């Protein structure tokens, strides 16, 4: 019997896969637990429409991420860092501080988990480019200017 999986099943496949299983396994395990439905004409058409919709949504998300990456490329945020004598800095700038500065200065909500800092963080004064991952295929660069306090 052909089954369209509605959820991931460990030994069979992933959600949306069409698998061939024995009639007993389908009747006793897959169908009662709502792990899948029979692969008839209506269900196959529903799966096709669902996949088309998912592709359309993925394309829209990719386009939105590319537009956001373009927009943020021209922006700059200013963050202050405590300094001592001779321009020596104390501490470093974290992704949380960059996200807060972006929200306050350029009115953009950035997820601190998607901001990628170089190894060791930002510890020197000046302008740094920080990579932000908007989408698995799209990254943007934000200029972060660190000034002494």
């Amino acid at each position: 019997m052909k089954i369209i999986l509605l959820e991931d099943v460990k030994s069979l496949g992933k959600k949306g896969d069409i698998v061939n299983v024995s009639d007993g396994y389908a009747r006793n395990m897959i169908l009662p637990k709502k792990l899948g439905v029979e692969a008839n004409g209506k269900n196959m058409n529903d799966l096709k429409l669902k996949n088309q919709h998912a592709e359309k949504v993925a394309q829209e998300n990719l386009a939105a991420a590319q537009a956001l990456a373009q927009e943020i490329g021209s922006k700059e945020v200013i963050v202050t860092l405590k300094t001592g004598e001779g321009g020596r800095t104390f501490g470093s700038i974290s992704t949380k501080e960059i996200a807060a500065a972006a929200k306050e200065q350029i009115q953009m909500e950035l997820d601190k988990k998607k901001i990628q800092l170089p190894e060791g963080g930002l510890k020197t004064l000046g302008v740094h480019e920080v990579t932000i991952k908007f989408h698995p295929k799209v990254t943007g660069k934000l200029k972060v200017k660190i000034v002494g306090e």
Side-chain angles (χ1 to χ4, degrees):
M1 176 183 279
K2 285 194 176 213
I3 298 289
I4 299 171
L5 295 178
L6 298 176
E7 293 182 25
D8 292 352
V9 179
K10 193 171 190 174
S11 61
L12 285 179
K14 302 243 181 245
K15 179 180 178 178
D17 288 351
I18 300 170
V19 295
N20 216 358
V21 296
S22 68
D23 291 350
Y25 186 62
R27 260 193 319 273
N28 296 324
M29 178 73 176
I30 302 294
L31 298 176
K33 291 188 177 183
K34 306 271 191 257
L35 298 175
V37 292
E38 187 178 348
N40 58 24
K42 179 194 176 300
N43 291 337
M44 294 290 281
N45 193 34
D46 288 347
L47 177 66
K48 182 180 167 188
L49 291 174
K50 194 182 293 184
N51 287 341
Q52 287 175 349
H53 178 70
E55 285 179 24
K56 183 180 176 191
V57 169
Q59 287 294 329
E60 289 172 358
N61 288 344
L62 180 62
Q66 288 170 336
L68 192 58
Q70 285 287 329
E71 182 182 341
I72 207 161
S74 62
K75 306 279 184 177
E76 179 180 84
V77 294
I78 300 170
V79 183
T80 58
L81 183 62
K82 197 168 195 158
T83 57
E85 289 181 28
R88 184 162 186 262
T89 60
F90 297 107
S92 64
I93 302 296
S94 69
T95 57
K96 183 178 178 182
E97 293 167 318
I98 293 171
K103 183 177 181 182
E104 180 183 310
Q105 296 171 18
I106 59 175
Q107 288 74 42
M108 284 189 147
E109 289 277 338
L110 297 177
D111 186 3
K112 67 180 184 177
K113 295 174 187 155
K114 297 187 180 201
I115 299 173
Q116 298 174 329
L117 295 179
E119 191 70 32
L122 302 177
K123 296 181 180 183
T124 58
L125 301 179
V127 179
H128 302 275
E129 278 200 348
V130 175
T131 304
I132 302 171
K133 199 165 190 157
F134 294 110
H135 187 272
K137 298 178 182 175
V138 180
T139 58
K141 299 270 187 192
L142 174 67
K143 289 185 180 107
V144 177
K145 184 176 184 181
I146 302 176
V147 294
E149 185 176 83

